[in-house]
Amino acid sequence: MDRLAAMDAFVRVVDAGSFSGAAKQLRIGQPAVSKAIVQLEERLSVRLLLRTTRGLTPTEAGRNFYERAKRSIDEADGAELAARGAATTLSGQLRIQATVAFARLHVIPRLPAFLAQHPALDVDLMIDDQNIDLVERGIDIGLRVGQLGNSTLTARRIAQCQRRVVGTPSYFNAAGVPRIPADLVEHRVVAYEQPLGGTTWTFRRGVAEASISVDGRVRLSSTIGVRGCVLADLGLTIASEWMFAPELKAKTVKAVLTDWSLPPVEAWAIFPAGRQTSAKARTFASFIESQILNRDRFQQQMGAEN
């Protein structure tokens, strides 16, 4: 396997979280993927992955290599598309499915820029929190947030962000601000009843760990519903920064317990299994990824300046 192909295999292993997942995406045997990673580590003289019974985790060197390798692969893909003329002549229809809150807050506002880049392309956007069958519905690319339940999906991780305990200033003025995770049991909680949410959470700060089970007085199966209840001062919730990005920026919602960390949440681009991923779908995934990364870098810069 040549250098770029080995880099591609490594990126897919990290994104899929397993050798078998990467092998399915590449349509090769799992031993070939494992061998490619071993040879890559030998050539670099550094361990890139930690292999445990619970899965694969990139080392610090692996994380650094992942970011650079992913950029190199995207640039190579872009060069191929440009050589074919596809980068400027994407046409026809692109069918996208995205979850409700993510679509409204992070996809729709960016569509004008994407369509301006590709004037011959039409977009059909399906907004739905359900894990629909992409092949059955004719979807070219899906955008999902959280853990992927179907290991057969062809998936590409495009972003990651922190979860926070959030509420409105009005709610905290009335109910008080929690100082430690245990204080949450005294608060009204708006619970998101999906695999992404729940009522039991593990907080970490350094070597300290605290698992808290909260009783959600209001339970919802919709991210938009969670947003509405929090903004109506019905309680606090645990959610990704993506879900309340405009309000956190405007300070109409505030994050608390920020010295404690929660498991991060990831955004994925998923593609129909058993079908060649279209140039249109790959281009849109790269576009959304670059938009989110640029936003995150800007927010980090502003945070450092403040």
Side-chain angles (χ1 to χ4, degrees), residues 64-102:
N64 292 333
F65 183 76
Y66 169 86
E67 297 298 336
R68 294 174 182 270
K70 193 168 187 178
R71 286 197 296 269
S72 296
I73 293 165
D74 287 342
E75 289 174 3
D77 288 344
E80 288 186 3
L81 289 173
R84 297 174 186 151
T88 56
T89 59
L90 293 180
S91 61
Q93 187 179 60
L94 174 65
R95 289 179 57 81
I96 306 165
Q97 183 261 333
T99 55
V100 178
F102 195 81

Side-chain angles (χ1 to χ4, degrees), residues 286-304:
S286 296
F287 172 80
I288 290 295
E289 180 178 24
S290 67
Q291 292 288 305
I292 292 175
L293 289 176
N294 288 338
R295 183 213 64 189
D296 289 347
R297 290 191 189 104
F298 174 77
Q299 288 181 343
Q300 290 170 4
Q301 179 182 355
M302 292 298 292

Side-chain angles (χ1 to χ4, degrees), residues 30-62:
Q30 181 176 330
V33 175
S34 301
K35 182 179 179 180
I37 302 306
V38 170
Q39 291 176 341
L40 189 59
E41 291 178 325
E42 289 176 349
R43 183 166 68 240
L44 298 173
S45 298
V46 66
R47 173 164 288 189
L48 299 174
L49 294 170
L50 295 176
R51 301 159 178 82
T52 68
T53 55
R54 292 183 294 178
L56 300 171
T57 303
T59 62
E60 183 177 356

Side-chain angles (χ1 to χ4, degrees), residues 151-169:
S151 61
T152 65
L153 291 172
T154 300
R156 167 180 166 183
R157 186 174 60 188
I158 58 174
Q160 177 178 283
C161 83
Q162 295 299 313
R163 284 188 175 98
R164 301 293 185 191
V165 179
V166 299
T168 60

